[in-house]
Amino acid sequence: MTAVPPSSQIIAQHDAHAKHNNAKHDNALHACMARAMQQPLFVQHRSQLLTLLKTHAVKRGHFTLASGKTSSVYLDTRQVSISAEGGWLIGWLFEALLAQMPNTVDAVGGMALGAAPLTSAVLSQSVNAGRPFKAGFLVRPNAKAHGTQQVIEGTLAPWMRIALLEDVITTGGSLKKALHAIKQRYPDVCVSAIFAVVDRRSEAEAATPITQPEIPLISLFQMQTLLD
């Protein structure tokens, strides 16, 4: 009779197999994103956005970030995302990347307030590109005290595959809040990826996943690129 391995061993083997498959999927996704970022029009629009961010978003002084950390540099990305040219560029770049996702994304959104202009821009660009998303959404920090008292604004459904949008990632605190709210309301929703305008984490900080289980993160810029 063949010996049956203990349940702990079976679980460990399953987890290792799942981790291996996830790693292969993430590598394929990042390779796909890298190819998309090398396209001439993408390079051109990304360069234009970089100029806007360096000119209007980078502030120097003494600042306390949303994470509680202090910094001599603050990224006021809304000076760019809530502008005609900046919003158009961010929407175009994110939509171009989302169009290359291996699995179709149904909805995009994120935490208010930072994700609000990003979401509107991406939704508009998806219509222009002829591949409109089914929905957009925003997660409030707290439920509003009147009306429908919603935490999540917009139209989500349990079967949807979504992507989260973020302006600046430092510790991922707002992303975790958004994920918690979404999973509480729609536990079966699949979060395919996180798209950020700027990832300001250090190389060491970036080695630690923001979410558990890890969700692929694609950013248009690293912090150092804006400071060079």
Side-chain angles (χ1 to χ4, degrees), residues 35-112:
R35 287 193 297 272
M37 289 183 178
Q38 292 169 2
Q39 298 302 308
L41 193 54
F42 192 98
V43 172
Q44 176 186 329
H45 287 340
R46 183 177 178 273
S47 178
Q48 291 171 324
L49 178 60
L50 177 60
T51 299
L52 290 179
L53 289 168
K54 285 185 172 183
T55 304
H56 302 292
V58 177
K59 312 292 183 183
R60 298 182 185 274
H62 183 74
F63 306 96
T64 299
L65 307 179
S67 63
K69 294 182 177 181
T70 58
S71 175
S72 61
V73 178
Y74 178 69
L75 293 180
D76 190 1
T77 54
R78 274 162 279 190
Q79 294 295 322
V80 175
S81 63
I82 309 178
S83 73
E85 185 180 6
W88 190 94
L89 288 168
I90 292 171
W92 191 96
L93 291 166
F94 276 170
E95 196 284 328
L97 293 177
L98 283 157
Q100 300 303 315
M101 292 287 289
N103 296 303
T104 301
V105 170
D106 301 301
V108 295
M111 198 77 185

Side-chain angles (χ1 to χ4, degrees), residues 151-207:
V151 173
I152 302 174
E153 300 287 357
T155 307
L156 283 182
W159 52 266
M160 284 185 172
R161 187 180 297 273
I162 70 172
L164 290 175
L165 309 179
E166 183 69 284
D167 51 2
V168 180
I169 290 181
T170 304
T171 62
S174 62
L175 281 171
K176 293 171 187 174
K177 288 180 182 177
L179 277 169
H180 178 72
I182 292 167
K183 286 298 185 179
Q184 270 199 323
R185 180 70 178 83
Y186 303 101
D188 295 327
V189 158
C190 175
V191 184
S192 296
I194 299 163
F195 289 83
V197 178
V198 181
D199 183 352
R200 66 172 298 156
R201 297 174 301 161
S202 67
E203 188 174 338
E205 290 170 333

